[in-house]
């Protein structure tokens, strides 16, 4: 069967895969949820928006004659990953996840691991601090439960409505980020603590090096539960998997 891939994107690795697929002339469609105003353009055809749950995705796979699905979404895009797992099981379309290993604390790191955003909020109990929330837009409102802090919010797009936090500063920026800029950012705002997700990958890890260099503690949110599926940890491994399926 002629390959016709669906790539569930939104990460650095997904974009690297799209470039490799374009170079090799493999037929593929790149999929965005439509979460940000101007998602990065891709060198292959793309679509934007949800599929309509498991049933909507299964219908899309059949109607578009998709031969393989590569789930290259962010490790915290758990709903999408579970939907892809179920839709591929229901339709028999082979599925592989292109993912990156979780970050591990190294010498000089001061991390406090928490299971989810709620636990990260609870971990901020205590004296007012300047806190870097490197979580994007979806979870920042939860931190209104700890109003004593001054929050530095890094967002991809300027917020349409002011965040419901008493004291904050918005920094509009999209990654991948680098250590020098993140170190300068933390210094400029007098950041004393960093809250982030264990995204893994190179596009978001600069803040961890900056935190280590500045001796800042990190509240690290561990990954959500993801389905059991084939895993590829590099673009090359995806092509090896495709050769076998
Ligand atoms: C829409 C599409 C690429 C992909 C680049 C990666 C790296 C830079 C670092 C910090 C952490 C955060 C956030 C982050 C990073 C990469 C990658 C990554 C973290 C874009 C993109 C889309 C999104 C969605 C966005 C979320 C938000 C999360 C910001 C494109 C730029 C915090 C995750 O405003 C919103 O609603 C933003 C929503 C989901 C998490 C959240 O809950 O707010 N990503 N990010 C995708 C879609 O529509 O399908 O324009 O590139 C992609 C990237 N963001 O090809 O170069 O590979 O992870 N994205 C986190 O890691 O915690 C920022 O600030 O230090
Ligand atoms: P999510 O919570 O797992 O998914 C919620 C719903 O959004 C899904 O059920 C699906 O809607 C739709 N969706 C998600 N990803 C999609 C995609 N790539 N293509 C089409 N529809 C998609 O997802 P999320 O955490 O909001 O992430 C959304 C996007 O941002 C993903 O592309 C992800 O890779 C990227 N991203 C997320 C994070 C993060 O921290 N969560 C970080 C970096 C990048 P239907 O059920 O209607 O199909």
């Amino acid at each position: 069967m002629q390959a016709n891939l669906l790539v569930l994107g939104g990460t650095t690795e997904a974009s690297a895969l799209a470039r490799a697929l374009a170079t090799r002339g493999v037929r593929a469609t790149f999929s965005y949820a439509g979460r940000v105003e101007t998602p990065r353009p891709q060198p292959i055809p793309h679509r934007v928006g949800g599929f309509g749950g498991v049933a909507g995705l299964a219908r899309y796979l059949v109607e578009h004659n998709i031969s393989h699905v590569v789930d290259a979404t962010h490790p915290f895009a758990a709903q999408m990953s579970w939907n892809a797992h179920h839709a591929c099981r229901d339709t028999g379309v082979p599925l592989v996840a292109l993912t990156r290993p979780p970050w591990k604390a190294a010498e000089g790191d001061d991390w406090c691991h928490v299971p989810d955003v709620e636990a990260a909020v609870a971990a901020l109990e205590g004296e007012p601090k300047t806190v870097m929330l490197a979580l994007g837009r979806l979870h920042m409102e939860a931190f209104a439960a700890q109003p004593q802090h001054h929050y530095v919010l890094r967002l991809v797009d300027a917020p349409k409505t002011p965040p419901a936090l008493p004291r904050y500063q918005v920094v509009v920026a999209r990654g991948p980020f680098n250590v020098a800029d993140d170190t300068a950012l933390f210094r400029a705002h007098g950041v004393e603590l960093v809250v982030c997700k264990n995204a893994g990958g190179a596009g978001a890890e600069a803040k961890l090096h900056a935190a280590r260099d500045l001796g800042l503690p990190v509240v690290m949110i561990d990954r959500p539960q993801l389905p059991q599926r084939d895993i590829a940890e590099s673009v090359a491994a995806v092509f090896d998997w495709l050769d076998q399926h």
Side-chain angles (χ1 to χ4, degrees):
M1 176 206 225
Q2 176 65 20
N4 178 20
L5 274 55
L6 173 65
V7 178
L8 301 175
T11 59
T12 307
E13 291 74 15
S15 298
L17 174 63
R19 285 193 294 276
L21 291 166
T23 306
R24 295 180 186 215
V26 176
R27 193 164 162 225
T29 302
F30 195 92
S31 179
Y32 279 124
R35 252 291 133 73
V36 299
E37 276 156 27
T38 51
R40 172 194 286 269
Q42 294 295 341
I44 57 177
H46 76 283
R47 63 172 296 290
V48 181
F51 296 95
V54 174
L57 177 55
R59 196 166 37 253
Y60 179 93
L61 298 179
V62 171
E63 286 173 1
H64 291 76
N65 205 13
I66 298 295
S67 61
H68 305 78
V69 174
V70 182
D71 176 1
T73 59
H74 189 277
F76 280 73
Q79 185 63 59
M80 185 71 257
S81 291
W82 279 103
N83 287 3
H85 169 72
H86 288 123
C88 288
R89 188 199 52 193
D90 296 351
T91 56
V93 175
L95 166 70
V96 66
L98 172 54
T99 185
R100 54 260 179 128
W103 293 314
K104 289 199 175 12
E107 188 64 34
D109 282 338
D110 173 11
W111 291 7
C112 157
H113 284 270
V114 293
D116 51 32
V117 172
E118 288 65 41
V121 173
L124 294 193
E125 196 59 51
E127 290 308 297
K129 283 197 174 85
T130 296
V131 178
M132 171 82 188
L133 277 193
L135 302 175
R137 181 172 57 93
L138 302 193
H139 306 292
M140 63 186 172
E141 308 288 340
F143 291 85
Q146 301 284 2
Q148 70 274 29
H149 301 304
H150 173 76
Y151 290 104
V152 178
L153 306 171
R154 180 147 67 184
L155 304 175
V156 176
D157 300 318
K160 292 187 179 46
T161 53
L165 297 167
R167 287 180 298 141
Y168 66 88
Q169 159 93 40
V170 171
V171 174
V172 178
R174 139 200 325 249
F177 302 105
N178 69 61
V179 180
D181 292 351
D182 276 4
T183 305
L185 178 77
F186 292 177
R187 280 214 174 97
H189 292 277
V191 170
E192 298 169 90
L193 174 87
V194 179
V195 182
C196 69
K197 300 175 195 165
N198 199 330
E205 73 176 335
K207 58 183 173 277
L208 301 178
H209 295 288
R212 184 187 306 146
D213 295 348
L214 296 171
L216 303 181
V218 173
V219 173
M220 179 63 74
I221 303 171
D222 290 332
R223 293 181 174 186
Q225 186 70 37
L226 294 173
Q228 189 66 38
R229 64 257 165 103
D230 287 356
I231 295 281
E233 291 202 338
S234 68
V235 167
V238 171
F239 285 104
D240 293 344
W241 180 86
L242 286 171
D243 291 343
Q244 293 150 25
H245 292 76

